[in-house]
Amino acid sequence: MNYSETTSLTTFLRTARWPVFTKQQPTFFSIAGISGKELPLSNTYSFFFQSEADHGLGVLFTLALLDVVRRKSSGTKLPVLDGPVRVSREHSMDEGQWLDLLVHNGTSDSSLQGATFAILIENKVNHWLHNDLDNYWNSVRGPACKVGIVLGKNPEHPDAPWLFVSHPELAQAVEARLGAVLSQANTRYLPLLLHLLEYLKQMTDSNHDNFALAFNFAHRHRAALAQAQKVINQFNDRGLADVIVEAWGPDYKQQGVFEDRVDVMHVQRNDMRYIVFYGHMLELDKEPTYAITLYAGRAERKAVANWFTYLSGQQAAIDAGLSRLDWFDQSYKELVIGKKYTFIGSSVEEFRQEVREALERDWKPLESAWLTKSISANSLEATELPAISSSDALS
């Protein structure tokens, strides 16, 4: 590829609005293995919807839910919360059916006697709506004000008077009101509340929207993306190799480049070399890792074993955490001792600096143990050097 002809690609890479990803943290629900189950979620909802429960948050959840209803359906008649809010779990409906949550202001959790309002909630996580909502609605008799909610992950379109509310919508509405009541909250239950809200916000079925965005973006920038992929593929062959050798400085020179690694030789010696494997650095679906290992080129297997025994016993190697790497297949017997690294930066400059620091910190302290030493297959005696420590080599 002629890099002088990539002006449009450069502009695209500098100006494209790429998303910023953050690693999703586990919640209590995912740790406990109940993140996809409706019953534990309904039980948790029941606790937080009850205004007189020990959480101390009062009617927070009910007010938040009504905020969402008001925003999505301005014509819906909403209840006035002028007393305790109670919750009935698995409330009995006509025809032997059961409603997940019935939020109301009756005389007890299970009784609608004296209730002026009832909020019927059918909770859904990984299942599609197939419930008889008409029967549910007609089964709740007495309250003058009723609201029907399908609370779910997958978008639904229930017939009026029912309304679909997503779990993330409810969580965001709760967060919007949380500051005003936080001082009243029982601190014992705040961690549970925060885990619940985080879990609810993660419960979204946005595959359809994401597909549309990805499809539109890909076809709008089709040529630029294709060119960028070519650059990445070619960069894998030479670019990182050049960065690595340049980072290590004039005491080292490039001995050979392959599609996933570069051989680097110290100018004082050519039979013991470094291999820097960078194959995962530009495989974008993998963790960005690279490895540095000493390589005894053309050495007999026993000599390689002797090198490993000798070098792994050096204090500098112990301090740096160097060991035999199972990075290549087992037929690659010339590998002596190495270390795997995870790139934590986001630019070529940061990668160059990391590689340089790895050399200075982990490898240079070990070099005097092998630069002037020769090991044959049958001997460890020639030009024997004393073991060194990291501090000795760096002083």
Side-chain angles (χ1 to χ4, degrees), residues 301-315:
R301 182 172 299 185
K302 189 171 182 180
V304 174
N306 289 341
W307 270 119
F308 172 75
T309 299
Y310 172 65
L311 291 179
S312 62
Q314 302 298 308
Q315 189 62 47

Side-chain angles (χ1 to χ4, degrees), residues 236-237 257-262 276-280 327-328:
N236 226 5
D237 292 340
V257 179
F258 302 89
E259 64 180 7
D260 58 2
R261 59 194 183 276
V262 58
V276 183
F277 174 79
Y278 50 79
H280 293 333
W327 199 271
F328 305 94

Side-chain angles (χ1 to χ4, degrees), residues 310-323 337 339 358 360-370 386-394:
Y310 172 65
L311 291 179
S312 62
Q314 302 298 308
Q315 189 62 47
I318 296 171
D319 291 344
L322 307 182
S323 61
I337 191 171
K339 186 174 181 179
E360 295 285 349
R361 181 186 64 247
D362 297 338
W363 295 97
K364 278 198 171 183
L366 187 65
E367 285 186 351
S368 58
W370 59 268
I388 60 171
S389 68
S390 300
S391 56
D392 294 335
L394 290 174

Side-chain angles (χ1 to χ4, degrees), residues 21-146:
F21 295 99
T22 55
K23 185 178 180 181
Q24 192 174 85
Q25 298 296 313
T27 67
F28 166 78
F29 296 87
S30 59
I31 294 170
I34 56 177
S35 57
K37 299 179 180 178
E38 292 174 1
L39 182 58
L41 180 58
S42 291
N43 289 337
T44 309
Y45 271 141
S46 177
F47 173 71
F48 281 107
F49 270 106
Q50 292 185 64
S51 64
E52 296 186 329
D54 290 339
H55 50 67
L57 297 169
V59 295
L60 171 65
F61 267 68
T62 306
L63 287 174
L65 180 59
L66 295 179
D67 287 342
V68 180
V69 173
R70 185 182 297 108
R71 185 178 69 251
K72 302 185 75 168
S73 179
S74 58
T76 300
K77 181 182 178 182
L78 300 180
V80 176
L81 308 184
D82 56 0
V85 173
R86 310 187 192 282
V87 181
S88 176
R89 277 282 292 114
E90 291 295 319
H91 193 81
S92 177
M93 301 281 103
D94 295 343
E95 301 180 14
Q97 297 178 348
W98 305 88
L99 176 68
D100 290 325
L101 295 163
L102 183 62
V103 179
H104 63 92
N105 63 340
T107 56
S108 68
D109 289 349
S110 60
S111 173
L112 288 175
Q113 183 178 353
T116 61
F117 74 85
I119 304 174
L120 293 71
I121 301 176
E122 181 61 26
N123 177 35
K124 294 295 179 187
V125 178
N126 290 323
H127 296 94
W128 293 98
L129 181 66
H130 59 273
N131 306 76
D132 189 349
L133 299 182
D134 288 338
N135 180 54
Y136 289 178
W137 186 266
N138 295 328
S139 298
V140 177
R141 305 172 183 89
C145 179
K146 291 194 295 185

Side-chain angles (χ1 to χ4, degrees), residues 172-194:
Q172 290 160 6
V174 170
E175 287 182 333
R177 284 183 169 269
L178 182 57
V181 298
L182 198 55
S183 62
Q184 308 166 25
N186 185 335
T187 55
R188 174 182 176 86
Y189 298 103
L190 277 179
L192 175 59
L193 172 65
L194 296 178

